[in-house]
Amino acid sequence: MTVRAARGEVSSSGLEAGGSPPAKNPGLVLLPDMSESPGYPTLAAVSRNPTFDNRRVPFDSGRDTLAVAMRVCFVVNSVKTQRPTYTTAHLAFAAHRRGHEVALVSVDDFSHGGERIVFGDIVRVAGKQPDATAFVRALVGSSALCEHARLNDFDVIFLRNNPHVTNGAGIRFNPAIEFGRRLKQEGVMVVNDPDGLLRAGSKMYLAGFPVEIRPRTLTTRSPERVRAFLRELDGPAVIKPLYGYGGQNVFFVARGESANLEQIISAVQSEGYLIVQEYLPAAEKGDKRVLMVGGVPLQAGGRVAAYRRVHPKDDMRNNMHLGAVRRACKLGARERGVCDLIRPRLIADGLYFVGVDIVGDKILEINVFAPGGINNMNELYGIDLGDAAIADLERKVRLRGAYHEPVPPHVFMRG
């Protein structure tokens, strides 16, 4: 693979266009070895593996954007069902507009043989497209370019599929995690980190955060413990499935309610473990969806990537597809404090692009598989968050290109 740069051509072997190796930079320091984390290759293994070439690109600390084109592939539930309003479409189009090679692959279109190569039936658009609508039209239309390609040759694999939609097993069987692990082990930058997705895939992930930013919560399958928790709580609560998504099977239980409690527990328990969560009074005014990139709230045009979702009068769920309305908002000091507190955990787990739902100074959920909201915020504020997110991704790849040593790619995704 050869990429064109503002300062000449660089091949995937790290040699400049003239064939001579780049000069050694004595000022570079090797990043710490993260190999003790599960699923991470050791630096020794990286050195032995020719696919870990760091995909050498020129580094210029004075530039705002990458000097070379990235190869980025987005993994989605289905390429054919993409819409211009989807956050994935905004991200993919932003990368396309910024001159990168962009492909999408459906999660059911991977293959892996006896070698260390992961293949995918990728789809690309033909020619330059003026906006996200035209990009998606070209992507799903007859002019789209389809190819059985080596995913190992991409600089970034962006996992954006929602496993809860494609199969009943949810994250317990998510092909993107398994194939993503193989690609990470072979030196490809995979976001979000496959092992981080596995850890964060259920609502129990919140239990690993400081107690002061979590609602009081019980996870159980015991109806008796549910009733005991509600008595101890002595207030309203929400009951929902541990592995639920999109507001499905979410029930509000008023203080002291008993008439429908057995039916509610039975309905939710049929899906497995359930969560009983303290209902926060501030939720009456909705919640705030915050998009975070690299452990900090994403920003564009001086605006933070946050908006308020307000539920309908006859429903307490703030999901947009269930009738909630969007409202412009600012991120206050308390919400910023919550983001600060969750940053170390997100970075440690390699969760680069997430959506955090906040009420007051409490986290309700952290969405890690396919967090959305870019279209809503772009329209509310007249900004381009997809462009800002891709610019940060460029920075990660550019930093990786500064290192001549074989540094595992996931290290550069942390912060």
Side-chain angles (χ1 to χ4, degrees):
M1 178 183 70
T2 299
V3 290
R4 299 189 181 277
R7 296 187 289 170
E9 291 187 355
V10 175
S11 70
S12 61
S13 65
L15 300 182
E16 295 180 356
S20 59
K24 201 75 172 177
N25 187 340
L28 295 180
V29 178
L30 187 64
L31 291 180
D33 183 7
M34 306 300 292
S35 60
E36 292 184 2
S37 299
Y40 293 152
T42 64
L43 287 179
V46 169
S47 301
R48 292 192 302 269
N49 190 339
T51 64
F52 276 86
D53 56 19
N54 275 4
R55 286 166 174 77
R56 288 285 307 153
V57 298
F59 178 78
D60 183 351
S61 61
R63 294 183 61 89
D64 292 330
T65 58
L66 193 64
V68 299
M70 299 186 297
R71 300 192 72 197
V72 186
C73 184
F74 294 85
V75 178
V76 295
N77 285 7
S78 171
V79 175
K80 289 295 185 182
T81 60
Q82 292 303 295
R83 299 178 182 177
T85 56
Y86 286 0
T87 288
T88 301
H90 281 274
L91 293 169
F93 171 68
H96 168 80
R97 182 179 57 200
R98 293 174 72 91
H100 304 302
E101 182 180 333
V102 179
L104 280 80
V105 61
S106 300
V107 72
D108 291 331
D109 288 339
F110 290 120
S111 60
H112 179 268
E115 300 298 325
R116 297 180 300 195
I117 306 301
V118 175
F119 289 90
D121 297 327
I122 65 171
V123 182
R124 295 181 289 114
V125 302
K128 294 294 291 184
Q129 304 300 322
D131 53 39
T133 299
F135 179 86
V136 171
R137 188 184 301 120
L139 184 72
V140 303
S142 58
S143 66
L145 306 175
C146 303
E147 177 187 355
H148 188 63
R150 287 168 44 114
L151 298 185
N152 298 57
D153 293 335
F154 281 82
D155 300 294
V156 179
I157 301 294
F158 210 134
L159 304 183
R160 289 281 305 168
N161 68 300
N162 186 342
H164 299 290
V165 174
T166 52
N167 64 80
I171 68 158
R172 288 164 284 185
F173 180 72
N174 182 3
I177 288 179
E178 294 303 323
F179 287 101
R181 278 174 171 163
R182 301 296 180 271
L183 289 164
K184 183 179 75 171
Q185 290 167 358
E186 295 305 312
V188 181
M189 193 176 284
V190 181
V191 294
N192 287 325
D193 184 275
D195 294 293
L197 288 177
L198 195 60
R199 285 189 288 272
S202 88
K203 294 176 175 63
M204 277 196 73
Y205 185 61
L206 291 184
F209 292 94
V211 66
E212 59 265 28
I213 61 172
R214 294 185 279 117
R216 295 174 62 187
T217 302
L218 170 73
T219 303
T220 187
R221 292 200 72 175
S222 166
E224 292 77 17
R225 289 190 175 88
V226 171
R227 288 190 288 268
F229 180 79
L230 290 173
R231 287 193 298 270
E232 178 185 342
L233 192 62
D234 195 27
V238 174
I239 299 179
K240 54 189 176 182
L242 176 61
Y243 287 99
Y245 81 100
Q248 295 183 4
N249 273 348
V250 177
F251 296 92
F252 175 81
V253 179
R255 178 177 180 270
E257 179 180 340
S258 59
N260 299 315
L261 186 58
E262 292 303 320
Q263 293 92 326
I264 290 173
I265 294 175
S266 177
V268 180
Q269 191 186 37
S270 66
E271 299 186 24
Y273 275 87
L274 56 81
I275 283 182
V276 188
Q277 191 174 73
E278 168 191 14
Y279 180 76
L280 303 172
E284 288 292 336
K285 298 180 180 180
D287 65 10
K288 290 185 180 181
R289 163 62 61 88
V290 184
L291 289 179
M292 298 182 67
V293 168
V296 297
L298 180 62
Q299 296 189 55
R303 295 299 303 248
V304 174
Y307 75 111
R308 187 182 296 277
R309 306 181 305 175
V310 183
H311 56 76
K313 290 184 178 179
D314 59 347
D315 197 332
M316 55 89 186
R317 296 171 294 180
N318 294 313
N319 305 83
M320 296 299 296
H321 69 278
L322 296 177
V325 296
R326 66 190 187 190
R327 295 283 185 266
C329 70
K330 294 182 178 180
L331 202 62
R334 290 195 302 171
E335 291 112 354
R336 290 180 184 274
V338 170
C339 293
D340 286 342
L341 280 173
I342 67 176
R343 178 183 303 123
R345 180 79 268 160
L346 296 180
I347 292 175
D349 289 336
L351 299 175
Y352 172 72
F353 189 92
V354 303
V356 183
D357 299 334
I358 301 176
V359 170
D361 57 357
K362 307 286 186 185
I363 307 173
L364 292 186
E365 287 192 19
I366 297 180
N367 304 272
V368 298
F369 286 109
I374 280 185
N375 186 71
N376 285 316
M377 288 181 266
N378 282 354
E379 292 185 350
L380 281 171
Y381 306 129
I383 57 179
D384 191 338
L385 290 167
D387 193 76
I390 296 301
D392 188 79
L393 195 60
E394 291 171 353
R395 182 176 66 88
K396 305 293 188 185
V397 176
R398 180 162 51 91
L399 287 172
R400 186 185 183 191
Y403 282 78
H404 298 269
E405 297 89 348
V407 183
H410 61 268
V411 174
F412 296 98
M413 301 311 300
R414 300 183 171 217

